[in-house]
Amino acid sequence: MPEGHTLHRLARSLDDAFGGTVPAVSSPQGRFAEGAARLDGSVLERSWAHGKLLFVDFAGGRTLYVHLGLIGKWFVLPVDPAGHEPPATGQVRLRLLSDAHVADLRGPMACQVVDEAEVDRLVLRQGPDPLQPVSDLNDPDAAYRTITRSGKTVAELLMDQTVLAGVGNIYRCEVLWRHRLHPLRPGKTLKRASWQLIWDDLVRLMPFGVRTGTIITLDDVLEDTEAALARGEEPAVPREFAVYQRTGLPCLRCGSVVRHKVVAGRNLFWCGNCQRRT
């Protein structure tokens, strides 16, 4: 399932392609025909994300709500210069089409037209999103209060979207490694200072995922990326991690073996030595 930075990046792409326009909205597959008809002919005002939820606001108080789930994908592409509409290949649930761009949605877990009250309800069910400004409705302290009332492991809680929105398995494993925190410690034992380190690090790291489309968690890669962006270049970011999917390999910090365990149905990776702190 895409992590939160992917949805924020996608929202930015949809805004760039369709913001302020009146795209044709259709459902080539037919499963979203009624919803598409409600949006067709309306101004697309903005696209935005909270955690792993994507929202596309149209005039008239109507919002397209999309949850990609495990297999959903958006494809946003330019239309050819002759203006020919590209054929819809595969099972396209939703298509947005303008003179310049086409966006096809395939295989989402949720694709609905909702009103403002439902948007509020969906967002309020989520935890705070590190990619959103801190506010009364996006409060990291609320997440910490939930964590410290729970006997579940920190690893499970960081993946619970009602606790913390947008964080997936890679960010979860890597940020715990970065701060030497054992992933299997109970949430109720997590100190306030440790939680602040986690939150602040996610606030720093995740915008680079939005900008580059790649999760960056290693400091040397982060420094190279920052330097390239400062020069106005698009960096080539390697897909390298400290512990994620590195079972049995040496930890990049201490050389000990990276461990693996399935927790709540998801693969967890951590260093058995430098993440001993419980």
Side-chain angles (χ1 to χ4, degrees), residues 46 48 53 55 63 114-126 137:
R46 68 166 183 146
W48 56 285
L53 309 184
F55 301 95
T63 295
V114 297
D115 59 18
E116 294 176 4
E118 179 65 6
V119 170
D120 291 343
R121 188 188 72 82
L122 288 165
V123 172
L124 288 172
R125 286 174 55 187
Q126 303 290 296
L137 298 178

Side-chain angles (χ1 to χ4, degrees), residues 38-39 41-46 57-63:
R38 294 178 61 191
L39 302 175
S42 300
V43 176
L44 191 156
E45 296 178 335
R46 68 166 183 146
D57 293 340
F58 287 80
R62 294 182 295 271
T63 295

Side-chain angles (χ1 to χ4, degrees), residues 1-3 52 67-70 109 266:
M1 185 181 297
E3 303 204 22
K52 299 183 180 183
H67 192 313
L68 292 177
L70 291 173
M109 185 172 74
R266 300 300 299 273

Side-chain angles (χ1 to χ4, degrees), residues 48-128:
W48 56 285
H50 186 93
K52 299 183 180 183
L53 309 184
L54 178 72
F55 301 95
V56 184
D57 293 340
F58 287 80
R62 294 182 295 271
T63 295
L64 173 67
Y65 154 59
V66 173
H67 192 313
L68 292 177
L70 291 173
I71 63 172
K73 292 185 182 299
W74 274 98
F75 298 87
V76 183
L77 300 168
V79 173
D80 74 65
H84 299 134
E85 180 177 353
T89 58
Q91 299 297 309
V92 178
R93 183 80 56 87
L94 168 71
R95 166 168 282 195
L96 303 175
L97 180 67
S98 70
D99 292 338
H101 292 89
V102 61
D104 285 345
L105 172 64
R106 295 181 177 88
M109 185 172 74
C111 177
Q112 304 168 16
V113 178
V114 297
D115 59 18
E116 294 176 4
E118 179 65 6
V119 170
D120 291 343
R121 188 188 72 82
L122 288 165
V123 172
L124 288 172
R125 286 174 55 187
Q126 303 290 296

